[in-house]
C-alpha cells in the first residue's frame, strides 16, 4: 500500500531525475532563497544543536561548493510556523 512507502532522499532525487530525463528537461536548479527555504527544517535543528548561521553556511559550502554567508542563512530562513502552515 502506498501509505506504507517512505522514500529516502536519494531515492526521491533519483525518481525525480528519471522523470525529468523522460521529459527531456534539464537539471533542476534552486535559487538561494528557495534552497534555504527547502532546508529550513535542518537549519532549525542545527541551530537548536548550537550551530551558528555562519557554521551552517560553512556546511553548505563544504557539501555543495556554493559559498553562502551567515546573512544569507538569516535572511532566507523560513520559520517553522511559515513552513508548515500549508501542511495537512
Amino acid at each position: 500500500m502506498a501509505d506504507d512507502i517512505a522514500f529516502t532522499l536519494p531515492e526521491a532525487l533519483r525518481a525525480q531525475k528519471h522523470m525529468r530525463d523522460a521529459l527531456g528537461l534539464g537539471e533542476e536548479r534552486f535559487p538561494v532563497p528557495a534552497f534555504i527555504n527547502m532546508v529550513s527544517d535542518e537549519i532549525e535543528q542545527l541551530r537548536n544543536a548550537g550551530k551558528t548561521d555562519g557554521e551552517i553556511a560553512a556546511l553548505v559550502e563544504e557539501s555543495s561548493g556554493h559559498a553562502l554567508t551567515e546573512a544569507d542563512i538569516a535572511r532566507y530562513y523560513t520559520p517553522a510556523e511559515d513552513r508548515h502552515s500549508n501542511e495537512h
Side-chain angles (χ1 to χ4, degrees), residues 41-79:
D41 285 337
E42 290 78 6
I43 291 170
E44 178 181 18
Q45 291 176 40
L46 286 163
R47 286 175 169 176
N48 290 341
K51 298 289 186 191
T52 66
D53 286 355
E55 291 170 320
I56 294 167
L59 288 171
V60 171
E61 184 171 3
E62 289 168 14
S63 63
S64 70
H66 296 292
L68 298 182
T69 66
E70 180 176 347
D72 294 326
I73 302 296
R75 179 177 181 189
Y76 297 117
Y77 169 77
T78 304

Side-chain angles (χ1 to χ4, degrees), residues 13 17 31 50:
L13 292 174
K17 182 180 180 332

Side-chain angles (χ1 to χ4, degrees), residues 15-60:
Q16 181 192 36
K17 182 180 180 332
H18 194 67
M19 287 186 269
R20 291 183 67 82
D21 289 348
L23 290 165
L25 299 173
E27 186 173 37
E28 190 169 14
R29 313 273 305 165
F30 299 95
V32 171
F35 169 73
I36 293 177
N37 175 271
M38 202 167 51
V39 298
S40 284
D41 285 337
E42 290 78 6
I43 291 170
E44 178 181 18
Q45 291 176 40
L46 286 163
R47 286 175 169 176
N48 290 341
K51 298 289 186 191
T52 66
D53 286 355
E55 291 170 320
I56 294 167
L59 288 171
V60 171

